[in-house]
Amino acid sequence: MADLAGKSRTCFTQDVSAPELPLSAPLNVGFDYTRSVGPVLGRFVDALRERRVEGVRGSDGRVHVPPLEYDPVTAEALSEFVPVASEGEIVSWSWIAEPVDGQPLSRPFAWALIRLDGADTSILHAVDAGTPSNVHTGQRVRIRWAEETVGHIRDIAYFVPADGPDTEPTEAPPPVAKREEGAPVSVVITPIHLRYEHSASPEESRYLRGLAEGKLIGQRCPSCEKVYIPPRGACPTDGVPTTDEVELPDTGIVTTFCIVNVPFLGQKIKPPYVAAYILLDGADIAFLHLVLGCDAADVRMGMRVRASWKPRDEWWTSLENIGHFEPTGEPDAPYESFAHHL
Amino acid sequence: MPDVAVVGFAQAPNVRSTPGTTNGVEMLVPIFAEVFERTGLSKEDIGFWCSGSSDYLAGRAFSFIAAVDAIGAFPPIHESHVEMDAAWALYEAWLKIRMGEVDTALVYGFGKSSAGQLRRVLTLQMDPYVVAPLWPDSVSIAGIQARLGLESGLWSEKDLAEVAARSRADAAGNPAAQLSGTVEVAELLDAPYFADPLRAHDIAPITDGAAVLVLASAERAADLVDSPAVITGIEHRVDSPALGVRDLTKSPSTAAAGRALDLDGVEVAELHAPFTHQELILREALGLGDQVRINPSGGVLTGNPMFSAGLARIGEAANRVLDGTARKTLAHATSGPVLQQNLVATLEVLS
Ligand SMILES: [Zn+2]
């Protein structure tokens, strides 16, 4: 899920009533997964778009709905499509009293395995039945189609009792299927969104709280005595938490850097600009930041730099309090002095 | 090929939530120290490291990389990871030793389930085309499985409550357990449904936790502990991911894994059953009779740290051999929805 990181946003806030607890904040990640459907699932979702259901015949003659690309017993590729009804019966069910995000209905409903007429296996879907007493195994149910069908499993909005009227859908996240008008569906897009409460480690929390006061707090490994900023939950050399606090100056050197020439989504500065590893004086690990205030072509390994802090009223628990680093004009550090930090 | 033995096991307390990070470092550092102390090994002695965890549980990409800090991975180590329960990481480590590449391995698993909404995060284990986009949650899917057995007469709600009551009573002897104590079956059956037909006691709790287990070749193991728990068999199988294809009241993959092993003489079985009815499915699949002591640790109904709970079953089963209370034990681990993937191992004192 590397792609999720690009859309995440973490905002740490300090809980003053419990200053010893690590900082934590909501973390929401989301990504619209784009998937090729292939010939079997492609035909299935194409049919859904036309409000029809098609299964596929297995090597033992059973009709699978939803269709399987390969036989579950023999692993043989399957390709014989069989139309089935949009009505069938409940094989088993459970009741969800408090639906969670993204489910087909946001009012209480039943999850059910449903065997459509003409099929031998069952499809998992929602049944809008009001109360659990209105659901039973063997019950006849039919598809309640989505208002707009696009070629996606969610074209089946949910099921309703076969002899009952359509009910009104509750809001659900829209699936998307990319296609030319009238062309078969080749791709489905499913939005995936997850919510977390993200916690920083106790060591990171000390560092982040320090930043809110304009301090750069590193911590020293009790074993190898290396100073890490940001501090680590455990020293990557010794596997023990870093403990002793060390306040570091806001001066240091550029160990290595790159000039960003490529524009990308979410970029805050107009290229070209320099992203550099900054090794603060007294630290044993460099961190990534920006070097501005000089021509990108003038940035060098070993160049002395100083933090350019944002106005104090913009400070919070973030390294963003330092807008960038800029050259001090002092002589460069000799290569040997930082070679082991590269 | 060398036999492989478990020589040490430790687990973090199973708790509803920790204030720590999702990379598990805070939970792992103390239990690494515990197994090193118990085995007399140090990190330099470990030939191979393997872990199980999940980016979706952590809500961040490559989350297992951050956990490597807990090892103290310098000079560079020989390391691997599975995006499954760490029981499968143990399988990879077992292979390394069997192949003669290394003679020790450390396996760990961790998960901070409390960071997200567990039963919704687990949706992403399911088919991404026709199932996951509906966001069915893991508890509801298990409820469908439970009803199939209830309505076909394979088990009753009372049978399920009895599993829960026995598990909690057994967990009283397990200091790592999250839930424990004496509960009356009748009292459990009076509780409302959480996801009809499941009540809260039918569902493993949400748990943060971590576990670590040290393996050694049988020859090396003999130098480290008095009675190593030799893994005399380990097998894993998988059932179709298509939920509507399987008979959900059975676990053919567990049965197949069990058939490939010699289960005669098993005295204790640690079964990874996150729902009460799943214990009954597993017992049937493995043919475990009344003479087999099930889950003396309390099992995952009393603490279910995702991605380490299966490894912990192997650790608990090994502990019964290591401490001399049993000569032959069975461990089972599961991964994926409604017992999709199953691993079974036997552990024995080698005379
Ligand atoms: Zn260190």
Side-chain angles (χ1 to χ4, degrees):
Chain A
M1 25 187 243
D3 290 291
L4 294 186
K7 288 199 172 183
S8 67
R9 168 89 175 132
T10 305
C11 170
F12 288 103
T13 49
Q14 189 162 354
D15 177 358
V16 288
S17 64
E20 296 310 309
L21 275 179
L23 291 167
S24 68
L27 170 70
N28 300 325
V29 296
F31 188 72
D32 291 349
Y33 277 86
T34 302
R35 299 181 188 275
S36 306
V37 276
V40 174
L41 291 166
R43 179 148 166 174
F44 175 67
V45 294
D46 252 345
L48 292 182
R49 189 173 45 158
E50 295 165 16
R51 305 189 180 207
R52 296 182 293 107
V53 184
E54 286 197 89
V56 72
R57 194 178 302 281
S59 51
D60 56 2
R62 286 194 300 170
V63 174
H64 297 293
V65 178
L68 302 178
E69 293 167 294
Y70 294 91
D71 189 88
V73 181
T74 63
E76 190 183 322
L78 301 179
S79 60
E80 186 190 339
F81 295 92
V82 181
V84 300
S86 55
E87 187 175 318
E89 68 174 47
I90 292 178
V91 173
S92 184
W93 59 279
S94 62
W95 188 257
I96 182 145
E98 291 175 26
V100 295
D101 289 354
Q103 294 186 334
L105 288 150
S106 54
R107 54 180 170 255
F109 67 92
W111 280 111
L113 282 173
I114 296 154
R115 188 167 49 234
L116 294 174
D117 296 344
D120 295 290
T121 61
S122 51
I123 185 170
L124 179 77
H125 221 297
V127 178
D128 190 19
T131 66
S133 58
N134 289 341
V135 193
H136 61 269
T137 299
Q139 185 175 4
R140 300 287 302 168
V141 290
R142 64 178 174 83
I143 292 173
R144 175 12 166 148
W145 295 99
E147 305 298 341
E148 189 198 353
T149 54
V150 295
H152 192 281
I153 186 65
R154 296 197 77 136
D155 289 348
I156 301 175
Y158 47 85
F159 283 73
V160 289
D163 53 6
D166 277 3
T167 57
E168 279 313 301
T170 54
E171 201 180 332
V176 190
K178 266 189 195 162
R179 65 175 197 273
E180 297 297 319
E181 195 53 42
V185 175
S186 59
V187 160
V188 294
I189 299 177
T190 303
I192 299 288
H193 291 273
L194 295 168
R195 291 180 294 174
Y196 298 87
E197 184 69 15
H198 182 69
S199 298
S201 71
E203 295 78 11
E204 288 164 338
S205 301
R206 291 287 307 145
Y207 158 78
L208 292 168
R209 287 177 169 131
L211 283 168
E213 297 167 24
K215 290 181 190 167
L216 291 163
I217 296 175
Q219 281 181 319
R220 184 179 278 126
C221 170
S223 181
C224 69
E225 304 203 323
K226 283 198 166 70
V227 172
Y228 296 105
I229 183 165
R232 319 279 296 203
C235 170
T237 302
D238 299 295
V240 295
T242 58
T243 45
D244 309 341
E245 199 165 294
V246 181
E247 191 173 338
L248 294 165
D250 64 356
T251 55
I253 60 163
V254 171
T255 58
T256 185
F257 66 96
C258 80
I259 301 175
V260 179
N261 290 301
V262 183
F264 56 84
L265 192 70
Q267 195 170 39
K268 288 179 179 169
I269 304 169
K270 195 175 177 322
Y273 62 90
V274 175
Y277 270 96
I278 309 292
L279 182 68
L280 294 181
D281 296 328
D284 288 291
I285 194 167
F287 58 77
L288 193 63
H289 217 297
L290 298 167
V291 174
L292 303 176
C294 67
D295 197 290
D298 291 338
V299 175
R300 309 172 295 278
M301 291 171 78
M303 187 164 87
R304 299 278 308 158
V305 290
R306 179 188 302 279
S308 170
W309 293 81
K310 288 181 181 168
R312 177 176 282 265
D313 60 3
E314 293 177 28
W315 289 357
W316 59 304
T317 50
S318 170
L319 189 56
E320 286 183 353
N321 298 355
I322 295 177
H324 60 270
F325 282 79
E326 55 194 27
T328 64
E330 297 165 275
D332 288 0
Y335 179 75
E336 304 75 51
S337 69
F338 62 88
H340 61 292
H341 287 301
L342 296 175
Chain B
M1 283 190 286
D3 278 329
V4 179
V6 178
V7 294
F9 166 66
Q11 62 180 319
N14 288 195
V15 292
R16 177 58 183 82
S17 73
T18 54
T21 59
T22 52
N23 61 36
V25 165
E26 296 91 336
M27 295 187 287
L28 289 168
V29 166
I31 60 176
F32 280 0
E34 197 178 326
V35 287
F36 286 145
E37 192 188 331
R38 201 168 294 165
T39 57
L41 295 168
S42 67
K43 70 170 186 178
E44 288 76 18
D45 297 316
I46 302 297
F48 178 63
W49 304 74
C50 200
S51 61
S53 69
S54 167
D55 280 358
Y56 280 109
L57 202 67
R60 58 196 296 200
F62 299 103
S63 54
F64 68 97
I65 298 289
V68 172
D69 272 5
I71 296 172
F74 188 86
I77 55 165
H78 185 187
E79 186 264 349
S80 184
H81 174 259
V82 298
E83 194 85 1
M84 291 183 77
D85 190 284
W88 276 263
L90 177 138
Y91 183 78
E92 189 175 333
W94 175 85
L95 281 176
K96 289 274 182 200
I97 297 175
R98 293 283 282 169
M99 291 189 296
E101 276 190 35
V102 297
D103 66 358
T104 53
L106 186 147
V107 184
Y108 62 100
F110 62 93
K112 183 177 171 172
S113 300
S114 66
Q117 193 176 7
L118 179 62
R119 65 193 167 112
R120 192 167 177 276
V121 169
L122 293 179
T123 299
L124 300 177
Q125 295 184 317
M126 290 189 256
D127 175 280
Y129 291 95
V130 297
V131 183
L134 305 171
W135 291 98
D137 55 292
S138 54
V139 173
S140 296
I141 302 289
I144 287 174
Q145 183 183 39
R147 185 181 305 281
L148 284 163
L150 288 167
E151 294 187 350
S152 62
L154 286 171
W155 52 72
S156 66
E157 293 186 6
K158 181 165 167 286
D159 293 336
L160 304 188
E162 282 171 356
V163 169
R166 193 212 66 233
S167 299
R168 292 203 198 171
D170 283 341
N174 176 2
Q178 180 179 351
L179 303 177
S180 66
T182 309
V183 281
E184 294 298 328
V185 168
E187 192 183 314
L188 292 177
L189 290 172
D190 274 346
Y193 290 116
F194 178 82
D196 186 347
L198 298 178
R199 296 180 172 87
H201 67 256
D202 293 313
I203 306 164
I206 295 167
T207 308
D208 292 352
V212 54
L213 190 148
V214 181
L215 297 177
S217 66
E219 191 183 346
R220 186 81 192 274
D223 297 334
L224 299 172
V225 289
D226 293 336
S227 59
V230 176
I231 300 172
T232 48
I234 184 166
E235 294 285 338
H236 53 138
R237 300 285 190 277
V238 58
D239 286 313
S240 170
L243 298 168
V245 168
R246 294 160 54 187
D247 173 355
L248 291 174
T249 64
K250 294 186 165 57
S251 181
S253 55
T254 302
R259 272 197 305 276
L261 300 173
D262 172 15
L263 303 187
D264 276 354
V266 164
E267 297 156 63
V268 171
E270 281 284 340
L271 305 177
H272 188 179
F275 297 89
T276 47
H277 65 275
Q278 292 180 346
E279 179 183 304
L280 304 179
I281 294 173
L282 294 168
R283 290 178 70 152
E284 202 271 335
L286 293 166
L288 301 176
D290 290 341
Q291 78 287 359
V292 179
R293 178 79 166 87
I294 306 291
N295 292 353
S297 68
V300 297
L301 290 168
T302 65
N304 184 33
M306 293 304 302
F307 299 92
S308 66
L311 180 71
R313 306 280 66 72
I314 302 174
E316 293 284 2
N319 269 355
R320 302 289 87 73
V321 175
L322 284 161
D323 68 14
T325 52
R327 294 190 60 80
K328 182 169 183 175
T329 62
L330 177 150
H332 160 268
T334 196
S335 200
V338 278
L339 301 174
Q340 189 199 357
Q341 301 147 64
N342 296 282
L343 180 149
V344 182
T346 51
L347 299 113
E348 292 180 64
V349 180
L350 223 54
S351 44

